[in-house]
Amino acid sequence: QEHCVGHDQSGAWHLLAFLDSDDDEHVTRNVSSETAPSANQRVSHASLEASIRSMEASLSSLPDVEPPTAEAQDDDDDNNNDTTIAWLVLRSREELAPTFTAPLAFRPLSPLLTCPLSQYSEDELRVVAWVGSADDSNLRCYIPVKDDNVALLKQVKLKKKVFSFDSPVMVIDSLEGKNQEHWIAVGCQDGTVRIISFAYTRTDDDSLDFTKLEAHTVLVDGPIIALHLSQEKGDGAIHLLVGSMCGFACGMKKTRREWQGPWMVAEGFWNSSLDSEDAILAVNKLSNNMVAVGTHSGLCCVYQKRQGDNSCQLLWKVQLPYSIHGLSHVNVSPSGQPYLLVTTRYTFHVFQRNVPKYSADTAKRRIEKLISPRQDANELLNLA
C-alpha cells in the first residue's frame, strides 16, 4: 500500500511523492473519513502530544550523515536503483499530457515543483522537480524526459558545492525572480538555511546547465520545517521567512548589496499542556510589513513590522482546532483588503483584515434577528 507523503503544484502540473508503507515504519498513517474527527470536534491534548512525540521520533530516526562527495553524487542515480520504496510522479490536468515517474530508493521529503525555463513553451520541458530525503543529506533535482516514448523523471546531477548539505533537507521553497534569475531556499534538520540564486537552461543531453550560482547560508536552531520566499515589487528585494520546530520564526532580506539578518519575527511559542515548544509549521509574507505564522497547536498569528527596525509586534491572533499546515493570501476582496487563507489538518479558513472578530454571542443575536419575523408570523397564524 502506498501513501502520498508530499504534493506541490505549478501551473497545470502536479508533483506527488508516494511512499510504500510496507517499507517504512515511520510513514504517517492516512486518516480515513470514518476515523477523521468532525469539523466541530477539537483535538484533545493527548492526541496533540502523541502527534508531537511521533514527529520527534521520526526526526530522531534520521541518520547522522556526512556531506556527499562529488564521486558519490556521480554514482547517485535513483532511477537505476533496484530498491524502490517510493515514487515521484508528475501529472498534468491536461488529458493528453503524459505522466512522468521516477522510482526512489529513499523516503522523500518536501517535494517542490517549479517551471523556470521560460524560453520553452507551456509544456513539460519547463518543469523542474526538487525533493529532499529522510535517509541522507542529498538535495535531488529531476526533469521530465521521454525515452523511447516512455515518460520518465530523470535525475539531474547536482555537482556544485552549493547543493551539498550536511543534514537531511526538511523543506524547500522557490521564487522566480526577474531577468531569468531563480531562487531556492533549503531548510535542514540541523538548522541550516541556504538561499541559492542561479540561472539555468536545459541542455541537449536532457540535463540542466546551472550558471550565475550564488549562495548565502545561516545556521539557526532547527529542525527547519517552514520557509517562504518572496520579492518586493518596488526595490526587488528578496525576503525569506523561516519557521523552526523550536517555536520561533525569523526573517532575512537580500538588498542589492548583501543579505541582512536573520532577525526574530516571533518567538516564545510554547504549549504548556505538551511541555514542548509549539512548532512553526507555516509562514507567509502578507505585505511589505506584515507576516503570518501558523503553529502545530493551531495558533495563527499576524505580526506587523515596526518602523525604524526589523522588530515585529503582534497584530492579531486566532486559535484554531487543528495544526496549521498552510498559509497564503489573495487580494481579491471587494474592500481591497487581502484575504488570509489558512489550511489546517482537516479544515480551511478565510480571514479578512478590518473585519470585527467573530463572536458567538453576536452571531446568535444576528440569527435570532433573522428568524424573529418568521416566528411572529407563525404565532399570528396559530392565533387565527
Side-chain angles (χ1 to χ4, degrees):
Q1 184 179 3
E2 292 181 344
H3 295 300
C4 182
V5 294
H7 166 266
D8 195 28
Q9 177 185 354
S10 183
W13 291 93
H14 292 261
L15 181 67
L16 301 102
F18 293 95
L19 181 63
D20 188 348
S21 60
D22 295 335
D23 290 312
D24 185 83
E25 60 181 354
H26 302 294
V27 64
T28 302
R29 181 178 62 86
N30 284 351
V31 180
S32 65
S33 58
E34 290 80 14
T35 60
S38 59
N40 59 359
Q41 180 182 1
R42 290 181 177 271
V43 175
S44 66
H45 289 163
S47 63
L48 279 175
E49 183 175 9
S51 182
I52 282 284
R53 298 293 177 257
S54 176
M55 184 184 298
E56 291 175 345
S58 297
L59 289 172
S60 64
S61 71
L62 298 180
D64 295 329
V65 292
E66 295 295 331
T69 62
E71 292 78 8
Q73 293 240 358
D74 287 339
D75 295 334
D76 181 23
D77 189 347
D78 299 299
N79 289 340
N80 296 328
N81 199 307
D82 295 333
T83 308
T84 299
I85 64 172
W87 290 86
L88 203 59
V89 179
L90 178 66
R91 302 184 62 181
S92 174
R93 291 197 301 265
E94 303 295 334
E95 294 183 0
L96 300 179
T99 297
F100 299 86
T101 61
L104 307 178
F106 59 90
R107 293 174 292 170
L109 292 176
S110 188
L112 176 74
L113 190 60
T114 61
C115 293
L117 305 179
S118 56
Q119 67 269 37
Y120 290 94
S121 59
E122 295 287 343
D123 58 18
E124 63 269 13
L125 291 178
R126 300 189 60 201
V127 177
V128 177
W130 303 83
V131 65
S133 167
D135 299 304
D136 55 47
S137 63
N138 291 333
L139 173 66
R140 292 172 172 86
C141 177
Y142 295 85
I143 57 175
V145 298
K146 293 179 180 178
D147 187 7
D148 295 331
N149 294 325
V150 178
L152 301 173
L153 282 173
K154 178 183 177 182
Q155 185 176 352
V156 176
K157 303 300 183 182
L158 301 177
K159 299 181 180 180
K160 302 294 185 179
K161 189 175 182 180
V162 295
F163 296 119
S164 176
F165 297 90
D166 299 335
S167 177
V169 173
M170 305 293 294
V171 61
I172 318 168
D173 195 24
S174 68
L175 175 69
E176 306 307 319
K178 302 176 182 178
N179 303 321
Q180 295 187 348
E181 186 179 39
H182 313 290
W183 302 78
I184 62 170
V186 179
C188 298
Q189 180 194 3
D190 64 356
T192 297
V193 179
R194 182 173 300 164
I195 309 98
I196 309 171
S197 64
F198 48 82
Y200 55 161
T201 57
R202 187 153 178 167
T203 62
D204 294 335
D205 59 348
D206 288 327
S207 186
L208 294 177
D209 181 25
F210 293 91
T211 58
K212 301 180 181 179
L213 275 164
E214 293 184 7
H216 179 72
T217 304
V218 298
L219 185 65
V220 298
D221 289 338
I224 306 302
I225 50 180
L227 293 172
H228 182 248
L229 273 170
S230 61
Q231 186 172 23
E232 290 187 7
K233 294 182 179 180
D235 58 6
I238 304 295
H239 289 261
L240 176 65
L241 289 175
V242 180
S244 170
M245 193 174 174
C246 294
F248 71 90
C250 59
M252 301 170 58
K253 179 180 179 180
K254 171 69 164 63
T255 62
R256 293 183 178 181
R257 295 183 178 180
E258 60 184 1
W259 279 96
Q260 299 175 356
W263 57 77
M264 191 63 67
V265 173
E267 61 180 329
F269 289 94
W270 181 269
N271 193 319
S272 58
S273 62
L274 302 180
D275 194 26
S276 175
E277 290 96 348
D278 200 0
I280 306 297
L281 301 185
V283 290
N284 189 270
K285 190 171 187 292
L286 305 180
S287 65
N288 287 345
N289 63 347
M290 292 177 61
V291 300
V293 172
T295 73
H296 180 269
S297 69
L299 182 62
C300 180
C301 300
V302 175
Y303 291 86
Q304 186 172 29
K305 182 180 177 182
R306 293 188 176 93
Q307 293 184 354
D309 58 21
N310 291 317
S311 62
C312 297
Q313 60 183 357
L314 179 64
L315 188 66
W316 173 86
K317 67 178 181 179
V318 63
Q319 179 67 54
L320 300 176
Y322 307 116
S323 300
I324 296 174
H325 292 282
L327 291 171
S328 184
H329 68 281
V330 291
N331 298 308
V332 295
S333 64
S335 66
Q337 296 294 338
Y339 288 121
L340 173 62
L341 312 179
V342 183
T343 305
T344 74
R345 186 176 182 182
Y346 296 113
T347 59
F348 179 74
H349 304 264
V350 180
F351 299 96
Q352 185 180 3
R353 188 181 179 187
N354 293 338
V355 174
K357 183 179 180 181
Y358 172 78
S359 168
D361 292 336
T362 302
K364 182 179 179 181
R365 289 195 298 269
R366 289 178 178 175
I367 293 174
E368 291 175 345
K369 185 177 180 180
L370 289 173
I371 66 176
S372 179
R374 185 173 295 276
Q375 289 177 336
D376 294 341
N378 290 336
E379 290 178 0
L380 292 174
L381 289 175
N382 291 334
L383 291 176

